């Protein structure tokens, strides 16, 4: 595909990302690369919105005719009551990362679960035989839980370090529209869980730059996984993490977080433009930006 130079005209439509701060967001790089490749008359901008300005901002976005936007920390939960409609998956995850204008109101969904699923769905595998173990119980873990449920994993086990947060995490799924087989565990229970796992996901920041020598598991623990287990790290800097290096050394199939990041963006772009997103272009733009 030939990339078109960005020309802002009277007809150019606005997309963007809101956060506070938002300067770390890689979404503008990824989305503007895709817009240029598709030759669309759009531009994607970062909007730093302070928490007490959220409602004013989205009312203003409606007034200026923004087509849609992504949401990052700290607005992913607080925006939900301000929207006209929220998808079931976003409702279950408890967070919205993509919003679009439709029929006189802002509608929201969460594309993180679809982003996480994309590389797994390309595999030939009976997911009903693959219990999932998720390390961490923060925001990203919620999308991973919804995704594992969608895949068909028969059991979803979540490991965390703060008992109170773990219990609240388990409790929150009881009222979700998804009917989940979920259990929560502390890290000292890990050794008894690992031998039954088909999919192991790191959704903690352990191993992320600037501490690339850390891993959530020891080599001995990695070697307790069955030979067919898949190991997935949501972290995308560094690539690969120590965790994924350990898993690869044990002969296991691995995935890092870059494709999830790209695919959640691709899913958002498709909602806004109704066009197929150029996933490889978006990935390359991120790699260039990350200096990889
Ligand atoms: P979060 O909401 O802050 O949750 C982090 C979780 O990790 C919490 O459960 C936390 O436990 C746990 N944790 C933190 N440090 C730990 C440690 N040293 N040992 C054990 N557990 C620890 O963060 P998040 O938004 O879920 O993000 C988690 C990771 O996923 C980050 O590395 C982020 O970059 C990555 N991510 C990637 C993508 C992608 O598209 N690839 C998308 C989202 C997130 P407590 O609750 O007890 O503190």
């Amino acid at each position: 595909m030939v990339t078109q130079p960005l020309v802002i005209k009277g007809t150019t439509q606005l997309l963007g990302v809101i956060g506070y701060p938002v300067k770390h967001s890689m979404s503008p790089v990824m989305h503007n690369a895709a817009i240029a490749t598709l030759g669309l008359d759009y531009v994607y901008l970062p909007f730093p919105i302070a928490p007490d300005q959220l409602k004013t901002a989205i009312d203003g976005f409606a007034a200026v005719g923004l087509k849609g936007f992504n949401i990052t920390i700290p607005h992913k939960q607080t925006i939900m009551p301000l929207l006209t409609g929220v998808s079931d998956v976003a409702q279950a995850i408890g967070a919205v990362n993509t919003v679009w204008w439709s029929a006189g109101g802002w509608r929201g969904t969460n594309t993180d679960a679809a982003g996480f699923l994309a590389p797994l769905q390309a595999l030939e595998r009976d997911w009903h035989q693959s219990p999932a173990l998720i390390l961490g119980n923060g925001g990203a873990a919620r999308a991973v839980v919804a995704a594992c449920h969608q895949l068909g994993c028969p059991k979803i086990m979540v490991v965390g370090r703060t008992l109170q947060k773990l219990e609240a995490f388990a409790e929150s799924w009881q009222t979700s529209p998804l009917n989940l087989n979920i259990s929560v565990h502390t890290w000292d229970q890990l050794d008894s869980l690992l031998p039954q796992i088909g999919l192991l996901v790191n959704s903690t920041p352990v191993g992320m730059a600037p501490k690339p020598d850390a891993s959530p598991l020891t080599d001995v623990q990695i070697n307790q996984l069955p030979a067919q287990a898949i190991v997935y790290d949501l972290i995308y800097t560094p690539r690969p993490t120590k965790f994924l290096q350990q898993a690869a050394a044990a002969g296991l199939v691995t995935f890092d977080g870059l494709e999830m990041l790209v695919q959640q963006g691709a899913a958002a772009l498709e909602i806004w433009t109704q066009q197929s997103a150029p996933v490889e272009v978006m990935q390359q733009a991120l790699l260039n930006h990350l200096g990889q």
Side-chain angles (χ1 to χ4, degrees), residues 1-4 30-42 266 269-270 273-279 281-282:
M1 278 188 236
V2 180
T3 299
Q4 311 293 321
M30 174 167 71
H31 283 288
N32 285 315
I35 287 165
T37 298
L38 293 172
L40 296 173
D41 191 12
Y42 282 92
L269 193 68
E270 288 175 7
T273 67
Q274 302 294 310
Q275 293 205 32
S276 236
V279 171
V281 169
M282 296 169 85

Side-chain angles (χ1 to χ4, degrees), residues 74-90:
H75 303 309
K76 283 183 161 197
Q77 287 90 27
T78 47
I79 198 165
M80 292 175 74
L82 304 178
L83 303 175
T84 306
V86 172
S87 69
D88 279 356
V89 71

Side-chain angles (χ1 to χ4, degrees), residues 137-140 161-162 165 203-206 208 234-235 257 260-261:
N137 52 276
R161 61 180 179 175
T162 314
K165 286 187 187 174
S203 70
T204 77
V206 179
M208 190 161 75
L234 300 198
I235 294 172
M260 172 175 173
L261 182 65

Side-chain angles (χ1 to χ4, degrees), residues 97-121:
N97 78 337
T98 302
V99 165
W100 66 99
W101 183 260
S102 170
W106 290 118
R107 320 267 155 182
T109 191
N110 191 310
T111 63
D112 282 336
F116 172 83
L117 282 179
L120 298 178
Q121 282 171 326

Side-chain angles (χ1 to χ4, degrees), residues 169-191:
F169 188 90
E171 176 83 25
S172 70
W173 292 99
Q174 305 311 320
T175 51
S176 99
L178 309 182
N179 185 16
L180 289 170
N181 181 3
I182 190 168
S183 58
V184 292
H185 308 265
T186 47
W187 284 84
D188 55 349
Q189 296 171 320
L190 201 55
D191 287 358

Side-chain angles (χ1 to χ4, degrees), residues 13 18 28 35 49-50 55 60 68 95 120 159 175 190 195 197 212 217 220 233:
Q13 299 196 69
I18 64 168
I35 287 165
I49 308 290
K55 175 148 180 16
L120 298 178
V159 171
T175 51
L190 201 55
I197 297 309
L217 261 62
V220 172
D233 199 335

